[in-house]
Amino acid sequence: MRVLIIGVGTRGDVAPYTGLGMRLREAGHEVTIAAHEPYTELVTDAGLEHKPLPGDPLPALTGRFSVRISAFEEYGEQLMEGLAELAGQEADLLLLGMAGALGCHVAEAMGVPSMGVHLQPIDPTGDFPPVMSLFRRSLGRWGNRRAARLAFELPAAGPLLAGLSTKMRARLGLPPMTPSALYRRRESTRWPVFHGVSPLVLPRPADWRPGLEITGYWWPLRPRGWQPDPVLCDFLASGPTPVFVGFGSLADARAEQYTELAVHALRRAGLRGVLQTGLRGRLSDDVLAVGDVPHDWLFPRMAAVAHACGSGTTGAGVRAGVPAVAVPVMNDQPLWASRLMALGVAPAAIPFRRLTPARLADALTTAVTDPAYRRRAQALSVRISAEDGAAPIVEAVNQLRVTRGPGRRPG
């Protein structure tokens, strides 16, 4: 099968698909990942073909509200054009990340099947409030389900995203279809969605329809030939085990501010730290700021990891078997923060808007000094490391190949 994975978003939205794509390639399939330009090497280092998508999502995620709206409009138009161009590619199957939802129109225009490969659970359930909405607290089982359904019928970005869907269908020569109609078609056909999350971290909701599965994590590959920086190795060996503090792709927008906050917190807690906050270099004898370092290498060498709770970073943390400090910012991050607390591997979360050096210092101290957090984290790590999250997707693609035949484009 010629498989096209649409991985829209920042690094954390793309990296898991390199591991998934590699497994599909090992099963004999040709795999291409469509992602934004900065992640070309991330894809090609995994031995996969890369199709560049225009635009940059970061301005739409950072800055003042008015800036975000303007940037989202510009980004959405660029993304729509880039996705529409993919309709001219040769493919037998499209695998769509949640942020690449417009890809369903591309698959329809190409006349090929598609499946969801999501890193976040967006389908309606009573178990938790919808992750891509403004709600952060549970609305009760009925309210949670209703709010999630409304998020499908009127997407989280409101008329902006709904308008892009309308434009995309017109651009591809497809008949008009409202978000409600698209949702009903998705449900009636039981469109398959695989979630790259461990069922130990997020048990499958019992009220989900058939076709929605939680498989286990899809682990990103390390860059080809990667070796740790000797400066980092020297720092790790030069004193007590440090903690990690990082806030994902958003940190680059306000690197100095986030770095200063983290340094003050570490000084207050009396801890050494490795920071991933946008800056680089030795900030003091006890603090080192680093760039991209594979989390599967770095996290097991930490005493605790403080992060914004993106899906992939959360997975890397629980796989490493170290305590966490959850600092959720938006979207699905509060859900993962709540799951880390429920699993007993993290103290109470600190919403990012309430983050101060004192609060971060107290949480890091608790995570490092209370042995129960590390004991539970290590036990969870053993079980998660035994999972094979890519296997169900490989099986589904192999089965599709059997039913449709290799290399055939459905009419």
Side-chain angles (χ1 to χ4, degrees):
M1 299 283 286
R2 293 165 294 185
V3 180
L4 174 61
I5 303 175
I6 297 182
V8 175
T10 58
R11 184 181 188 87
D13 300 302
V14 178
Y17 298 132
T18 63
L20 177 60
M22 182 270 293
R23 289 291 302 280
L24 288 167
R25 187 192 63 189
E26 289 178 346
H29 305 291
E30 299 176 14
V31 181
T32 300
I33 297 181
H36 296 298
E37 291 275 10
Y39 313 114
T40 300
E41 290 187 7
L42 188 67
V43 175
T44 56
D45 277 352
L48 308 173
E49 184 177 351
H50 175 252
K51 290 291 182 184
L53 291 175
D56 182 357
L58 278 179
L61 297 173
T62 59
R64 298 184 305 276
F65 180 76
S66 60
V67 174
R68 290 199 299 270
I69 293 297
S70 174
F72 184 89
E73 290 177 327
E74 180 180 357
Y75 169 66
E77 292 290 340
Q78 293 173 331
L79 177 62
M80 181 188 70
E81 290 302 316
L83 291 176
E85 291 177 5
L86 293 178
Q89 303 294 317
E90 292 291 327
D92 302 305
L93 170 68
L94 267 61
L95 298 182
L96 310 177
M98 186 206 71
L102 292 175
C104 68
H105 308 308
V106 178
E108 184 179 345
M110 296 172 72
V112 301
S114 65
M115 302 176 186
V117 283
H118 290 183
L119 305 176
Q120 303 88 4
I122 61 173
D123 284 87
T125 176
D127 288 5
F128 44 81
V131 300
M132 303 305 290
S133 77
L134 297 177
F135 300 107
R136 290 292 176 264
R137 296 182 179 179
S138 176
L139 305 173
R141 296 197 63 83
W142 182 90
N144 288 342
R145 285 190 59 83
R146 184 57 184 159
R149 174 70 183 267
L150 287 174
F152 271 100
E153 295 179 347
L154 181 61
L160 291 176
L161 191 55
L164 284 178
S165 181
T166 299
K167 290 180 181 179
M168 174 69 87
R169 294 188 67 81
R171 171 78 165 73
L172 295 171
L174 299 173
M177 186 172 287
T178 65
S180 294
L182 284 168
Y183 176 73
R184 288 194 299 271
R185 184 174 71 179
R186 167 192 170 109
E187 295 302 285
S188 65
T189 60
R190 292 185 174 179
W191 188 63
V193 182
F194 301 94
H195 297 81
V197 179
S198 170
L200 297 172
V201 173
L202 185 73
R204 183 186 186 279
D207 58 356
W208 266 3
R209 64 165 172 84
L212 305 176
E213 303 298 337
I214 292 180
T215 64
Y217 289 105
W218 309 318
W219 303 117
L221 299 182
R222 289 187 189 176
R224 186 180 304 166
W226 181 85
Q227 293 293 328
D229 187 332
V231 173
L232 174 58
C233 293
D234 289 345
F235 178 79
L236 295 178
S238 66
T241 305
V243 298
F244 170 89
V245 180
F247 303 119
S249 300
L250 297 181
D252 288 336
R254 299 179 182 175
E256 292 184 4
Q257 174 185 343
Y258 298 153
T259 300
E260 182 180 1
L261 187 153
V263 169
H264 286 173
L266 292 170
R267 185 179 301 126
R268 185 183 182 103
L271 296 170
R272 302 173 75 232
V274 174
L275 306 187
Q276 207 169 51
T277 53
L279 298 183
R280 308 285 189 276
R282 195 78 175 243
L283 303 181
S284 71
D285 289 343
D286 292 328
V287 182
L288 177 69
V290 299
D292 288 331
V293 179
H295 288 168
D296 70 311
W297 183 91
L298 181 61
F299 283 6
R301 292 168 168 81
M302 299 291 104
V305 291
H307 56 82
C309 295
S311 177
T313 309
T314 299
V318 294
R319 185 191 194 188
V322 295
V325 170
V327 189
V329 182
M330 61 183 184
N331 296 337
D332 58 320
Q333 295 169 355
L335 171 64
W336 305 127
S338 70
R339 293 305 305 152
L340 291 175
M341 290 186 290
L343 291 165
V345 300
I350 311 169
F352 192 77
R353 65 183 181 277
R354 298 178 184 171
L355 183 64
T356 65
R359 289 191 175 110
L360 181 57
D362 289 347
L364 286 169
T365 300
T366 299
V368 170
T369 59
D370 187 339
Y373 290 111
R374 177 168 288 273
R375 184 172 62 250
R376 287 188 287 261
Q378 290 176 337
L380 180 62
S381 171
V382 171
R383 299 175 66 193
I384 284 179
S385 298
E387 296 176 343
D388 184 355
I393 297 90
V394 173
E395 181 180 354
V397 175
N398 287 343
Q399 183 60 40
L400 187 64
R401 183 187 183 207
V402 169
T403 58
R404 291 184 175 271
R408 286 173 48 200
R409 287 192 63 169

